[in-house]
Amino acid sequence: MSPERLMKCWLMIAPALVAMAACLDPVDPTDASIAAVQVTFDGANTADTIRVRGITRARAAAIAAQGYDLGRTDFTYASSNQAVAVVDAAGVVRAVSPGTATIRATLPNGIAGEGTVLVVPSTVEYSIPVGKSPGAMAFSPDYTRLYVTIAPDSLAIVDALGYFRLSGLRLGLPGTGVAATAEAVYVTHPGSDSVSMIATATNTITKRIFVGAGPTGATATSERAFIAARGARRIVIVEGGQAVSGIPVNGEPREVAVSRDGRRLFATVDGGGAWRLVVAIPASPDTLHSIALSSAPGAIATDLSGRRVYVLLPSEARVVVFAEGTDGRYTEAGALAVGTGAGGVSARLVGEPLVVASGAPLTVFDGVTTSVSERITGVGSGHVAIRPDGVFAFIAAVSDNLLRVIGL
């Protein structure tokens, strides 16, 4: 082929090769023209509805003029109303309180897009008929079962994962307090100065234990139960079905709570009309110190480590928070007004330090800052028990013979 003909062929082919190379050359997304920024939730939705304390994910995309996603990830996220919802650097949105918030994703060059989050109040997710006048409650350590005292003299056993009553056990005596270890459930009977021990494997009463006159409150770790023996003026420690030791409290104990690892034990004690919160060390066993209370207490609860304890004062319609200091002593760290008629309080053991106090309305609050997360009407005013995994709270609606369950 002659040189002239080769040149002519090259001039014909070269433009096509240049065009092909342009097509194969990847586009730098930082240099490409951006037509819009889109913010979506759960795929293609530009808005999402979640409940208080719920979580969703905002996903931002930089869209080219030709309609394709440029793959940009350098967005900055912000919420228009942090009292309603907050968003982190990865676009994870957490609902704080009912309302509407706009989630804005912005690129370094200022181009931005928006999505909307509607936060709705929590509602009762399950209602469980359990029997007449549900009272004290205790979860099994693996949280598959919930044990509830019911009138006049029985114990209801609830499937805490399926949200229905499994069975009932006739105790023959009115029950006041209940606690569960891995092997047994203990129910106190102050009127007969005894405690029923129920085998969890068979749901049968195996024995009655005498721990002193007038046993009232009960609490437990996975291995040991702690019974408030009013007449004996001590907290009795029960292990393997036997009373192994006791902690003198210089008064009549009523309600008790223990940290999950057994490091700290708390009891409300009546010293002849002068009420105190007693802090004890079960391993000793001995009391550490006591704190004066301004009025007769109701239910008490503690967090996972026992570094905070929550005391319900029903006549004042408030919960007082006591926190452990560096010296091991506890002092008041805050207080919060709760609904009228409150009969129960429980603290979450995992995740955010939420506390639930029953009443009209029911109050959910941060156990460290005492800031209110939510107030919910029409739930119940009886005892409260938060499932050990921290996902649901069970509240006794005494007059309706129900347990109501809300999500946390």
Side-chain angles (χ1 to χ4, degrees):
M1 184 181 294
S2 66
E4 293 81 5
R5 190 168 181 180
L6 285 173
M7 179 59 70
K8 185 176 181 180
C9 290
W10 171 251
L11 292 175
M12 294 173 62
I13 295 171
L17 294 174
V18 172
M20 184 179 295
C23 291
L24 294 175
D25 184 31
V27 176
D28 183 350
T30 61
D31 294 335
S33 175
I34 300 171
V37 169
Q38 293 181 352
V39 176
T40 59
F41 306 89
D42 295 329
N45 300 316
T46 58
D48 201 1
T49 299
I50 54 177
R51 290 183 179 176
V52 174
R53 298 177 300 280
I55 290 175
T56 188
R57 177 75 180 272
R59 300 185 184 276
I63 307 301
Q66 293 81 3
Y68 56 86
D69 185 349
L70 290 166
R72 295 284 291 268
T73 59
D74 51 339
F75 295 96
T76 300
Y77 292 92
S79 169
S80 66
N81 191 343
Q82 295 194 46
V84 171
V86 295
V87 60
D88 68 14
V92 177
V93 180
R94 181 172 61 85
V96 177
S97 63
T100 301
T102 298
I103 304 302
R104 187 177 181 86
T106 306
L107 287 167
N109 61 7
I111 300 177
E114 297 177 345
T116 302
V117 171
L118 173 64
V119 179
V120 298
S122 296
T123 60
V124 174
E125 299 194 28
Y126 305 97
S127 292
I128 309 169
V130 289
K132 186 177 180 181
S133 302
M137 295 184 280
F139 281 99
S140 60
D142 65 1
Y143 65 81
T144 60
R145 297 289 181 265
L146 175 65
Y147 302 96
V148 188
T149 60
I150 55 174
D153 59 357
S154 298
L155 184 73
I157 302 169
V158 174
D159 185 320
L161 303 181
Y163 311 102
F164 62 90
R165 172 175 161 154
L166 280 170
S167 61
L169 175 64
R170 179 77 181 274
L171 301 172
L173 297 168
T176 297
V178 60
T181 66
E183 303 295 332
V185 179
Y186 298 89
V187 180
T188 63
H189 309 293
S192 61
D193 299 336
S194 65
V195 177
S196 290
M197 177 178 170
I198 300 140
T200 56
T202 60
N203 292 331
T204 57
I205 299 174
T206 57
K207 64 192 305 185
R208 305 270 196 198
I209 305 170
F210 178 76
V211 297
T216 53
T219 188
T221 63
S222 62
E223 297 177 347
R224 310 168 89 189
F226 302 85
I227 309 296
R230 197 172 59 205
R233 300 168 72 88
R234 66 179 57 221
I235 308 299
V236 177
I237 301 174
V238 178
E239 189 171 358
Q242 302 293 330
V244 296
S245 60
I247 305 173
V249 292
N250 193 28
E252 296 185 354
R254 297 300 175 93
E255 298 295 332
V256 285
V258 66
S259 61
R260 200 168 191 178
D261 61 0
R263 187 183 73 92
R264 288 287 184 269
L265 176 72
F266 307 93
T268 53
V269 177
D270 180 5
W275 286 93
R276 296 174 291 119
L277 173 69
V278 171
V279 182
I281 307 173
S284 297
D286 198 5
T287 56
L288 183 63
H289 68 108
S290 66
I291 309 160
L293 299 174
S294 57
S295 62
I300 62 174
T302 185
D303 61 10
L304 176 65
S305 64
R307 299 195 183 282
R308 281 183 172 77
V309 59
Y310 306 91
V311 182
L312 174 64
L313 302 178
S315 65
E316 301 178 29
R318 67 187 186 120
V319 170
V320 182
V321 183
F322 296 94
E324 183 179 20
T326 55
D327 59 355
R329 299 182 68 83
Y330 289 73
T331 56
E332 184 173 333
L336 184 81
V338 298
T340 58
V345 63
S346 185
R348 189 156 78 168
L349 302 182
V350 295
E352 295 177 72
L354 292 175
V355 178
V356 176
S358 65
L362 178 140
T363 303
V364 182
F365 66 94
D366 186 299
V368 176
T369 65
T370 66
S371 58
V372 175
S373 172
E374 198 172 13
R375 297 190 189 271
I376 312 170
T377 60
V379 182
S381 297
H383 286 265
V384 179
I386 296 177
R387 207 169 68 183
D389 64 349
V391 178
F392 292 100
F394 292 65
I395 301 96
V398 180
S399 59
D400 295 327
N401 302 328
L402 295 172
L403 298 183
R404 294 196 174 102
V405 184
I406 63 168
L408 296 179

